[in-house]
Amino acid sequence: MKKSISASLPNSLVLVMDYASGEPPEVMGETLVASSGSCLAIGTLAEQSGETEFLLTDEIDAVEHSTMHLAFDGHIEVTSGEVSLVSVLNQPLVTLPVSSSSVRVRVLANDMEEPNCIAVLLG
């Protein structure tokens, strides 16, 4: 399954988390992706520069790998059986069901500093 959305997000960040229980990281640091164990924070294209295209999928073939760079490969903890892309204003953008409480998440981006295309691959 795959879901996509284009948006210009507040603070130029998108969160990947279980909407019911995810806790955002305390700080971003100097990297594109920060993790708290239950949530990822991913930097996007600057809010005032335009929209970022987001893809949330569990299908590896849905991602165009030739133009993307691996920015993160790890796990987040999930309690509700769903993973969502969420704005920093706590508004869910898209959601996919998952079958495990520890979900592998790979983040691919077309730029490692200010991407306008981000794919989040679950599983």
Side-chain angles (χ1 to χ4, degrees), residues 12-109:
S12 305
L13 287 173
V14 67
L15 305 175
V16 179
M17 64 186 216
D18 178 335
Y19 185 70
S21 63
E23 291 291 327
E26 295 284 325
V27 295
M28 278 300 292
E30 296 295 319
T31 62
L32 183 65
V33 181
S35 175
S36 70
S38 64
C39 176
L40 303 179
I42 307 169
T44 69
L45 183 67
E47 178 182 5
Q48 63 276 14
S49 295
E51 293 187 337
T52 299
E53 179 184 338
F54 301 98
L55 172 67
L56 180 64
T57 185
D58 56 8
E59 302 170 7
I60 195 160
D61 294 336
V63 180
E64 176 54 54
H65 295 279
S66 65
T67 61
M68 304 291 265
H69 308 280
L70 183 64
F72 179 86
D73 187 350
H75 289 80
I76 61 170
E77 298 302 313
V78 176
T79 60
S80 73
E82 295 182 328
V83 172
S84 298
L85 299 184
V86 181
S87 77
V88 295
L89 300 178
N90 205 30
Q91 297 173 326
L93 305 170
V94 292
T95 301
L96 282 183
V98 294
S99 58
S100 174
S101 62
S102 180
V103 177
R104 181 180 182 193
V105 180
R106 287 170 278 182
V107 175
L108 295 104

